[in-house]
């Protein structure tokens, strides 16, 4: 069984690299593979969590305003006179700050930040990172503009396929669905390298339908797996 660790093992790298080489034998297209542990640190999730904790304090105050008196009871000496508004507001502020600090401290753990980040946010971050890497590593790097990037972000268990201009003009986005499905099935089973190899084979077949191998084709982009 191929290791599911990160960085990938030598066998993992060889598996993916060999898949790219094999896929490119049937097409002029160039396939680039990149795997990352995660696409973002999601540090803003900790700040958002803290802000929500502060809003929760206000929500509790709206639901039960008398809780402030209960908090202050041990400190006003048992006198019947209720605390002044200034003191009450100060208590609310202190509790809000404490709530923010506790939530922020808890969400400093990367695994917890990732777990509570909404799926649609993770999807956008993975897509953004994939496009960034495509622009640097594949876009317009081939003479015929036939580069394709397969990007896998392990912690999010999400992947993106980004194609260069010539391929994008002929291959609709939904055609990549089969490749994505093959990849994610193996990722969920703990075999991400197998998944990338399977996806690469399908990408090669799809690109080969429109850009079959020609006699003068040269290998313009590296076949090796890139780990970030």
């Amino acid at each position: 069984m191929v290791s599911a660790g990160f960085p990938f093992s030598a066998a993992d790298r060889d598996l993916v690299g060999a898949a790219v080489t094999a896929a490119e034998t049937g097409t002029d297209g160039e396939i680039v593979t990149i795997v990352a542990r995660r696409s973002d640190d999601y540090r803003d999730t900790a700040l958002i969590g803290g802000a929500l904790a502060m809003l929760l304090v206000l929500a509790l105050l709206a639901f039960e305003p008398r809780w402030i008196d209960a908090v202050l009871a041990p400190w006003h000496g048992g006198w019947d006179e209720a605390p002044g508004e200034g003191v009450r507001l100060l208590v609310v502020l202190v509790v809000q700050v404490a709530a923010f600090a506790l939530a922020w401290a808890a969400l400093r753990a990367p695994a917890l930040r990732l777990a509570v980040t909404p799926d649609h946010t993770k999807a956008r971050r993975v897509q953004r990172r994939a496009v960034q890497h495509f622009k640097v590593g594949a876009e317009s790097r081939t003479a015929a503009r036939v580069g394709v990037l397969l990007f896998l972000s392990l912690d999010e268990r999400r992947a993106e396929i980004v194609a260069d201009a010539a391929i994008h003009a002929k291959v609709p986005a939904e055609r990549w669905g089969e490749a994505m499905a093959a990849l994610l099935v193996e990722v969920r089973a703990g075999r991400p390298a197998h998944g990338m190899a399977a996806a690469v084979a399908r990408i090669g077949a799809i690109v080969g339908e429109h850009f079959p191998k020609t006699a003068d084709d040269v290998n313009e982009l590296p076949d090796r797996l890139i780990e970030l």
Side-chain angles (χ1 to χ4, degrees), residues 116-167:
V116 302
T117 298
D119 287 342
H120 61 84
T121 299
K122 289 185 280 191
R124 287 198 304 268
R125 302 284 171 90
V126 172
Q127 182 182 54
R128 183 177 66 187
R129 183 58 58 87
V131 170
Q132 289 173 344
H133 289 308
F134 173 74
K135 289 181 179 298
V136 172
E139 186 176 34
S140 303
R141 296 279 301 274
T142 62
R145 303 198 69 172
V146 287
V148 184
L149 170 67
L150 172 62
F151 176 74
L152 172 63
S153 196
L154 289 172
D155 283 356
E156 292 93 339
R157 293 192 176 188
R158 292 181 179 275
E160 289 287 336
I161 297 173
V162 188
D164 217 333
I167 296 174

Side-chain angles (χ1 to χ4, degrees), residues 20-105:
V20 173
T21 301
E24 291 180 354
T25 60
T27 177
D28 282 356
E30 294 285 332
I31 303 171
V32 177
T33 54
I34 298 179
V35 61
R37 165 52 68 193
R38 66 177 62 90
S39 292
D40 194 90
D41 286 333
Y42 302 99
R43 296 188 183 279
D44 53 330
T45 296
L47 296 175
I48 293 170
L52 290 175
M54 294 178 70
L55 291 175
L56 179 60
V57 172
L58 292 179
L60 292 174
L61 177 61
F63 179 74
E64 180 51 74
R66 291 174 297 180
W67 68 263
I68 300 178
D69 295 332
V71 172
L72 286 172
W75 286 279
H76 67 73
W79 296 98
D80 292 334
E81 182 180 353
E85 288 301 317
V87 175
R88 294 163 65 89
L89 289 174
L90 178 61
V91 170
V92 172
L93 178 60
V94 170
V95 174
Q96 281 189 298
V97 171
F100 178 92
L102 288 172
W104 179 81

